[in-house]
Structures are given as structure tokens and as C-alpha cells.
Amino acid sequence: MTTTLFTDARLIDPEQGTDAPGWLLIEEGVIKAVGTANDPAPAAARVIDCAGHCLAPGIVDIGVKVCEPGERHKESYRSAGLAAAAGGVTTIVTRPDTAPAIDSPETLEFVARRANAAGPVNVRPMAALTKGREGREMTEIGFLMDAGAVAFTDCDHVVTNTKVFQRALTYARALGALVIAHPQEPGLSDGAAATSGKFASLRGLPSVSPMAERMGLDRDIALLEMTGAAYHADQITTARALPALERAKRNGLDVTAGTSIHHLTLNELDVADYRTFFKVKPPLRAEDDRQAVIEGVRTGLIDIISSMHTPQDEESKRLPFEEAASGAVALETLLPAALRLYHSGDLDLPTLFRAMSLNPARRLGLASGRLAPGAPADLVVFDPDKPFVMDRTTLRSKSKNTPFDGQRLQGKVRATYVAGAPVFEVS
Amino acid sequence: MTFSHSHLLGIEPLAPPEITTILDLAEQYVDLNRRDVKHADALAGLTQINMFFENSTRTQASFELAGKRLGADVMNMAMQASSIKKGETLIDTAMTLNAMHPDLLVVRHPHSGAVDLLSQKVNCAVLNAGDGRHEHPTQALLDALTIRRAKGRLHRLNIAICGDIAHSRVARSNILLLGKMENRVRLIGPPTLMPSGIAEFGVEVFDDMEEGLRDVDVVMMLRLQRERMDGGFIPSEREYYFRYGLDAEKLAHAKPDAIVMHPGPMNRGVEIDGEIADDINRSVIQDQVEMGVAVRMAAMDLLARNLRARPAEVMA
């Protein structure tokens, strides 16, 4: 039996909420035992000295866009997998907003085949909730689950027809399927490139009130009261949406919420002189909103942090701001960007990994995301302090549209393990 | 002389002494333009290209005349009709232009920030002739010159800007410029035509026109941009005219010597009464057109001086 022992590690255990020195033993790709610095370490066939660096459960990233099928020049399963491994992400949960959309078992099977052949990390696909993400007819949720879909989402398309959405939620509930939605009132957000306020007005950009997010969430919560479905809001980015979310949770609805790393670490002013790499959807918010969302992650009201990895080629970004495509790549910058919140004293490491590893795994019913015996040995070893200047040309993603280009970040992944096997190591 | 910029993209980056520099130089060109021989050679040998991605007769003519009076070789490119429709991107256009070695590029574009983007990709001085809802700096400068000449100063004035503020780049540039020069700016219009976050601009906002016009020195009317309306900002033109159209009755609330301005083209009977627009004692609308040529000459002259002062390798 092959056993590997990680010694001299700083164990980040989001389940226990602890951040303490210790060791971890794995066997056959599964975590076998975990001990503190005081516990005697067992013998093992192979020993990896972590040299005091952090050892945490690998990141489970919900909402990664891999551009297969349709736009492989922007991102393939191979390039996304390499980027994920380098970023400490051990499971990518992929979005169905491809061209064509992943809305049939046949497309999903094609994608799953490609994913498993090409990538070093775990890939769990999501499927569209409605055909073509058009909000008219629900997809074959049952068949898609059989084919491996872990959740159903139309991504940034809001199912505006409330009756269609209600039926899809009702049907999904019967099958125990998780529905992920983008809370937004599309009547208000249509055509917006910025969040309304002084900055948007100064720049003359079409804008959306932050209230549009709360309105979308309010509607969805009302539908959850009707249907009892399992629901996850992909990105909660404004302070005004938080009380509604809190109430829904208190009332016992099966609801969770995520946010994106960009909304946690950037605000609308970062757009500056129309820098399109900072154009994301929903648009970056005011600083007050960012602070409120950080607090939401700290208290656990917001469950999950995602990269919302969205590759865009240069051509779709080198346009006037209104016309430029939305989205940013983030698989490789998720961890260092999240560590900004650690270095600023906003969030401790167990809280960050609760939101990046434990909670997303739990929400999808995956066994990973924990440092507990029996969990898969999906692990990341990182140095939280290592400073560097981000150079977008070094990214492994095929697309280089990161807002962190040229910025100082702290924290580098030393090694990433999937089922105990190294998929990335700093040489 | 204080003016250190290589482009004129907006009022936002300008410091008050730079604004004064442009206006002072423009005064000289006002004089020149009134002579029999209206010619100088500040731009002799330079090539000026006017690229208008959006319809304009007046602004384009003003820039063209300004360039010609200063001796530049001026070319107009009507971009609406051209390759943009064939899918050429703004960056492609910039590359094409670079190969033609222009010195001054005057750009109007329907999207905010597009002129800024273009300026990053070309090797010449860029003047913003209006980008989306963002800025229209030469309009604000010509308005400032008109006010300064009519009122004898450009500070501590009460100035009302009325109408469709939300969709107006003219309003944005004027709010910035008049604020920088330490005037009190009031915005008057229906709340549906006010941009978000406007209270943070250091202005006073009124939805009642008579209240807003009380004791102002300057009344600046804006065109009701019907072509920009998504629909449903105001109930009807006639209700708008009743509540926000400038007529003698409303103007009576302003100071007796208040001047009336309009960037043109006017919708008579929608935002302004025809008689007021034509009243030579109140309306400075014709002066604005005249100042426009002079201000554009000054701006291009200053940019050309900075262009010539740049080391050769930067231009390569």
C-alpha cells in the first residue's frame, strides 16, 4: 500500500475552523489520518516536507467557463485544467453557457469525454436549466443528471418567464437537482455596463441600480417558498440583497449564495479609464457593497466564493467599454486574490477555505473540500506570503483577460494534488 | 503657458490654469477670425483628420474651419458609411490611420470611452469631439469662453444647466469645467433625465424649473436628445415644454441680465421658445458658434506645440 505523509504543514481545516501546524497522511488517494504537531507522525512510504507552508483542501470552483464546445481558442479543457492545477483548484464545476449550450445529454457526454481525456483536475459539469438557455422549455433534467450534471443553470440568462422558472424548480425538486440562478431584474439590468452612481455617470456608461439584484433575489426566494427547490444564487454582490438572503435562510429554505472573487477584491473605481478587463457581470460595485459582501462571507451568510472564470480573447476586450465582452479569467488568481482578504485582516484562512472548498463541495454533494479521514486527497500546498507581480502573459489559460495584470499579489501555490497525485508542483 | 497634455480627451484631466490657457489663446483667435484675412500658420504642414462615427454637421464644420484657418491639411472621414459597417474594429481603424501619419485626429463616437481607447493606439494628438454620454470638452470650453466674455469672469457665477442631463456629454463636460472654475452649478430637469449619483457631483438639483432658475446668471439649455431615448423618459413633448421649456415667463426668474445658451441644434418649441432663442439681448447662441471655432483653433494649436516638443523617437 502506498502511503504519503505531509509533514511540517500548516493545516487549514475549514470544517474544524482551525489553522495549526500538523501532519496529514494519505493512502491510495484518500486522506487516512490527520494529526497536530504534538501527535506522533506515522511512518509512510513517502514523506513530503511542507516546510511550514499551508496545506488546505483543494479549491472546488463552481462556475468555470471552459469554451468547449464552440470557442476552443479561448479556453480548452486542457488549458483550463492546467490553469486550475496551478491555482490550487482541484475540482472545476463547468458552466453550460457554451456555443451551443450544454442542454442535452448528448452534448454533456461529449463534454465529459473531452474533460476527462484532457484535464489534470476533477471536472464536474453543470447543464442548462432551459433549452438553449432561452428560458422557454426545461431541459431533460433527469437524463442530464444521469449523464453527470451536478447542477442546472442558465448562467447569466435570467429565466424571465416566472411560470417556466416555477415549473423547472418544481421538477428539479422532485429529482433533487440543484438549480443555480443569476439573481437580477433583467428589465433594469439590460444593456448595463456599470453600477449606477457617480462613477458610472462620470464615465457616461449605461448603468444598473444595485437594487436589480435584490429584486431578482426576492422573486427567486418567493418561488422557492412555492416549490421548495434547492437553489444557489451564483453571485450576490450588493449589500441590499443580504437581508433578503438572511431571511430566506432563517425561514429554512434550501438556499445558498455565492460571490465572485472580483466582487470581493475590486470595486467600480478600478475600471478607471474604461479598462475592459474590469468589465464583469454583474458590474463591479461600490466599496460599501464590497465591504458588505466580505462581511457576508465572514459570517457565512454568503456560502461560496467562485472565480467565475470567463475567458475572453483580446478582440472581444479591445473595444469601447459598452461593446466589450464581460468576464475575467481567474482560475490562477483566485487563491492569491482571496489571500488579499487574509492579509488585510478581513478573513482568516479557514473561513476562506470554507467558502472556496468545503461549502461548494457540500452543496454539490462531493466528498472533497475537507481535511478529514475518508475524504479524497485533493490538496493544495501554498505559501501565503510569497509576493509577486502578476504578469498576464504567464497565465496558463488560453485567454489572458485578468484584471490583476501588473498588480502586486501575495501567495503562491507550491503544489496541487488530485486524489493524492501531484498535478502541479513548483520546481 | 500651462498645457501639458498630448490629447484633449475630456475636461476631467484639465487643471484650472490649463483651462485658462486655452481660453486666453482662443481670445486671440477670436480677433483673428474677425479680420479680413483669417489665416495663421500654427498648424502649417500638419495633417488633421476628422473622424465622425456619429452624425454631426456643426461640430465637424467647426473643427474643419479651425484647422484650415491655422493652415492644416484637413481631411474628413465619414465613418458611418465606411468600413465600420463591414466589421472593422476601432483598433483596425487606428492601425490604418497610423499608416497615414496624421498629426491631429478629431473623433466623435457613439460609445463612451471610445475616443480614449483610440488615443491609446494612435501616434498623434487626439481631440474628443464627443464620446457617447461621456465628454465633449471643446463644447464646454466654448461655453466657458462665451460666458467669460459675456459676464466678464468665469467664477462665482450661478449657472443653470437644464434638460436631458442623463444623456448629455455636454452637461458632463460643463459640470466638470464650471465646477473646476468655482461656479455654482444647478441642474434642472425631470428626475428621469438625471444621471444616477448626481448629488455627489457638487451641484444642486432641481426638478422645478422656476425654482432652479431663481437668480441665475447663466441659463444653459440642452437639446432633448430624442434619438437617444430608449422610450418613456417623459410623457410627451408638450408636457416637457410646459414644465421645462424655456419661455419668457420662466426666464423672468433668472437675473435680469442672465444670458441664454444652447449647444445646438435647437428644437424650438420643445426645450426653448423661438423668441428667446432669437432675442439678441439674452441669447448668446450665435456667439457660442463663433467661440467654437476659436476654442478649437486654440486647442489644436496647443496640442500641436506639445506634439512638436516631443522627442522624435516617441513619435516613431
Side-chain angles (χ1 to χ4, degrees), chain A residues 196-197 201-204 274 322, chain B residues 12 111-113 117 134 172 195-196:
Chain A
S196 60
S201 290
L202 258 182
R203 289 288 175 273
Y274 303 102
E322 281 172 58
Chain B
E12 199 184 4
H111 289 305
S112 305
L117 176 68
H134 178 221
R172 277 177 189 63
S196 60

Side-chain angles (χ1 to χ4, degrees), chain A residues 243-362:
Chain A
L245 179 64
E246 200 272 327
R247 245 185 342 268
K249 285 189 165 186
R250 190 155 24 92
N251 291 343
L253 297 178
D254 189 358
V255 56
T256 52
T259 194
S260 95
I261 189 62
H262 300 116
H263 291 91
L264 280 173
T265 53
L266 304 169
N267 70 28
E268 57 182 352
L269 300 182
D270 287 302
V271 169
D273 288 328
Y274 303 102
R275 295 194 287 173
T276 56
F277 281 10
F278 291 79
K279 184 177 181 185
V280 293
K281 198 171 177 187
L284 291 174
R285 306 301 194 182
E287 178 63 11
D288 289 350
D289 283 322
R290 188 183 79 92
Q291 293 290 345
V293 173
I294 293 172
E295 179 61 14
V297 173
R298 196 186 63 75
T299 61
L301 178 58
I302 292 178
D303 305 85
I304 292 168
I305 302 172
S306 295
S307 72
M308 295 312 287
H309 182 81
T310 305
Q312 297 290 1
D313 55 18
E314 304 286 309
E315 280 65 39
S316 30
K317 282 288 189 184
R318 277 196 308 196
L319 291 169
F321 197 84
E322 281 172 58
E323 293 185 311
S326 298
V329 291
L331 280 168
E332 282 167 84
T333 49
L334 173 58
L335 181 56
L339 288 170
R340 277 192 172 178
L341 302 169
Y342 163 68
H343 291 295
S344 63
D346 287 310
L347 301 173
D348 59 22
L349 291 175
T351 304
L352 278 175
F353 279 88
R354 180 181 71 196
M356 295 194 295
S357 302
L358 177 66
N359 285 346
R362 270 193 183 153

